[in-house]
Amino acid sequence: MSEAASTRSTAARRATGPAPHPALLPSLAPLLHEWLPRQRWFAGKGRPVTGFSLVAATELLPARGGSPGDTGAPGLLHLLVGVQQPAGPAHGPSAPPVADCYQLLLGVRSALPPRLAQALIGHVQEGPLAGLTVYEALLDPRLAALLLERLRTTGSPGALRFERDPSAVIPPGLTPRPLGAEQSNSSLVYGDSFILKVFRRVSPGSNPDLELPLALARKGCERVPAPVAWYEADNGDDPDEPYTLGVLQPFLRGSEDGWQRALRALAAGHDFTADARALGRATAEVHTALAVALPTVTLRRQQTEALAAAMTERLDAAAQAVPALVPYVPALRTAFDAFAARGRAGRAWPAQRVHGDLHLGQALRAPGGEWSVIDFEGEPSRPLAERRRPQPVVRDVAGMLRSFDYAARSHQPWEPEWATRCREAFCDGYAKASGTDPRDEPELLRAYETDKAVYEVLYEARHRPDWLPVPLAAIHRLASARPGGGIPAHRSPGPHPGPARHSAPTRPPGTPPHSHPAPSSDTTGHRAPDPPPDTGHTPGPTP
């Protein structure tokens, strides 16, 4: 079994807490079977749901039925549900089924008022909720407000633990509103003061989107909004590896995400190098703080060869799925071979915790010009253990460089020189702030940017075929690079098809399932558009 399959098969382990009614899940299963696959954040689309298991159930608010025609006072039921499905094609034909664990917040009423009609899940026919209606609780302002109150007051109902920073002030009565464009999670904004990210597909172990911002806050890093409250579920199999379920952070009202800002600069013909340079500095500052806050390691020959082999394996798998990639495979392999050869020659690289999915949509610029970095969850399609593993910082650098390329290619006519200038400015800013220039390690940078572009090709082929020419043009450029000679400047891919002919998207291409653009009324708050999913989907403003 692959590591990913093994990790996911254990994701639905039991949580501690009182035993739920034995008929609860069987009574909900027919409704969930229809409703779950339709949700944007459900990662198992295209594969049949073969069964459910109840990991934990906590009644946060008892439902009180009303008289006929009365909707009654709502109840709030928190569930962690294991969803069994056949393994995806990436795991091979003989891979055993997998069970992903999903967090569900179900509202319960006698009947649903018309204003909540879009939240309907269904009417329960039997079991402890027989005769009642269940629905998506996060769309009910009353229940969304209750969730914030739980975070304000802390406590441990059932298997859940609500915690907060005691120094943070969270006023009562903040009005909630959902952000509806996110793909892999769900987010609520409270009074334009805080944003709550509710993780949907969860695994045992601290989520990097809580772990890393907490570590950075302890070191005084102001580039990342510090968590003010969060909630988890106990893991009955390992008390040291709870499920991270949600994180409340300041909502950066009035901020503008880097993707939208870059598109506006392109449309107006304005230079973006000052912003790119500032983004490089901000990224370097975050990396420096992470290296201080958390352990670092050194990648030697064995680890380098393993990384290069994994990149080659992903390339071969992508080429099988996307025939347009096949002609480039031999040249692209040279990028990974050159990386491995440097390791065999004795070159070692430092590795540390990184963002893991960095792109323009994961950076927010405040009205005063300061840049913040958000969304440290990493690529949701990858196993949690992999996302928490130390990696070379160039992984984040490569993600941002690909993001500049995506932005440039979303503009008509294509602006390759714009992307080149931004890439150089970003690396300049990074080098000045960190003392290390990513361009000084051309084999490492080319390998990681190639790996990212291969991921983008696979994502676009699966989810947005019209965008496939964008990463394929990068593939052409990367395949033309001389081993050890770094990454060539953008140039016309010759006979290769050009970028898709349509207007620029309102969110980063490849925006992974866990991303979402800010509402039009506020050009982005804390959560800006993300990258793509698998999704896991999830590359940056590239996929």
Side-chain angles (χ1 to χ4, degrees), residues 107-149:
V108 183
R109 289 178 182 257
S110 298
L112 212 54
R115 61 185 173 81
L116 294 176
Q118 77 278 13
L120 176 67
I121 295 175
H123 308 287
V124 185
Q125 302 299 319
E126 56 187 7
L129 301 179
L132 298 176
T133 299
V134 293
Y135 61 100
E136 170 56 73
L138 296 184
L139 297 181
D140 186 337
R142 185 168 176 179
L143 298 182
L146 173 65
L147 194 56
L148 179 66
E149 190 60 24

Side-chain angles (χ1 to χ4, degrees), residues 147 171 216 240 286 309 438 471 474:
L147 194 56
L216 290 168
D240 295 326
V286 170

Side-chain angles (χ1 to χ4, degrees), residues 352-397:
Q352 61 168 76
R353 298 299 297 277
V354 298
H355 183 282
D357 192 22
L358 189 63
H359 56 80
L360 284 165
Q362 309 284 35
L364 299 180
R365 185 183 185 275
E370 304 84 5
W371 284 94
S372 297
V373 179
I374 60 170
D375 292 341
F376 281 76
E377 187 181 1
E379 294 180 4
S381 60
R382 299 188 184 273
L384 181 59
E386 180 180 330
R387 288 183 273 144
R388 297 179 68 191
R389 188 177 299 152
Q391 303 176 62
V393 295
V394 74
R395 171 165 181 167
D396 285 348
V397 173

